[in-house]
Amino acid sequence: HFGGATNDKRQSLWLSFLLGKAGGYEKMRFVIQRVLESEVKADGEVLGKIGKGFMVLIGVCDSDTKEIADKMVKKMIGLRIFEDEQGKTNLSLDAVDGELLLVSQFTLYANCKKGNRPSFIEAGAPDMAKDMYEYIIAKCKEQGLTVKQGRFGADMKVSLVNDGPFTIILDSDTL
């Protein structure tokens, strides 16, 4: 039941519900792994390689904006998840001269509710998602960080040594 909504609005809400986009499914998503080292390859070529820092898988949906990306980048860069002298997670990426490896990954939007074959309808359209991925890379570089990246849309091989392990999932709707 959608209250006093017009027929067009009801149809739009119902379609969103059927497509799995109701209830906050549309959001930018970063999976951040604190690493000692990480590397991404495509077709046997090393595209990016970092030492200590974050390997970040980035998922984008159609409703994402540059403003959302700005918030996500600010939160990610500010995370204090590196250990200080007392062994407490109290230091940020820049405090440890950390690096970033940014990898696009539409499969972060896998919907496995029906059957055993995931649906990716919630992922952003490729052109829009590529533009947003490139925007995120540029924003990170503006912060003066060392940034390496994968190749959008490529079949990539990612290797890493997860430090901890320490993995954080950032969703834009929870910021």
Side-chain angles (χ1 to χ4, degrees):
H1 180 267
F2 297 115
T6 65
N7 280 337
D8 288 343
K9 182 67 174 171
R10 272 193 217 105
Q11 287 175 338
S12 174
L13 289 167
W14 181 243
L15 182 59
S16 292
F17 176 77
L18 289 176
L19 294 176
K21 295 184 177 184
Y25 289 115
E26 289 190 352
K27 57 190 160 201
M28 188 173 289
R29 187 169 290 148
F30 287 6
V31 176
I32 302 165
Q33 297 186 72
R34 185 181 75 183
V35 299
L36 296 175
E37 60 185 47
S38 186
E39 177 180 88
V40 62
K41 294 180 180 180
D43 299 320
E45 171 193 357
V46 175
L47 303 174
K49 184 175 183 174
I50 64 167
K52 185 177 194 173
F54 295 157
M55 193 289 295
V56 185
L57 303 174
I58 299 172
V60 174
C61 70
D62 286 327
S63 65
D64 286 329
T65 64
K66 289 180 178 179
E67 290 78 18
I68 291 171
D70 291 345
K71 284 186 200 176
M72 294 287 284
V73 167
K74 181 178 180 183
K75 178 61 82 173
M76 173 184 65
I77 291 172
L79 287 173
R80 297 182 341 189
I81 63 171
F82 291 95
E83 292 181 359
D84 62 16
E85 311 81 48
Q86 287 80 36
K88 295 187 187 258
T89 51
N90 200 29
L91 300 176
S92 63
L93 195 61
D94 64 335
V96 298
D97 294 321
E99 302 172 299
L100 286 171
L101 178 59
L102 305 177
V103 178
S104 64
Q105 188 176 4
F106 76 93
T107 62
L108 293 178
Y109 287 95
N111 183 328
C112 300
K113 287 182 183 176
K114 287 186 178 180
N116 293 318
R117 184 171 181 221
S119 166
F120 300 103
I121 195 167
E122 295 164 10
D127 289 344
M128 177 274 187
K130 182 177 182 184
D131 289 345
M132 192 62 64
Y133 173 61
E134 290 172 355
Y135 177 81
I136 291 165
I137 292 166
K139 291 305 280 188
C140 290
K141 287 180 177 179
E142 282 177 16
Q143 304 302 312
L145 297 167
T146 299
V147 180
K148 304 296 181 176
Q149 65 198 63
R151 182 180 304 138
F152 186 89
D155 179 18
M156 295 176 279
K157 308 302 179 214
V158 179
S159 61
L160 61 97
V161 177
N162 192 319
D163 182 19
F166 206 123
T167 302
I168 291 179
I169 300 172
L170 282 184
D171 285 327
S172 61
D173 68 346
T174 60
L175 295 183

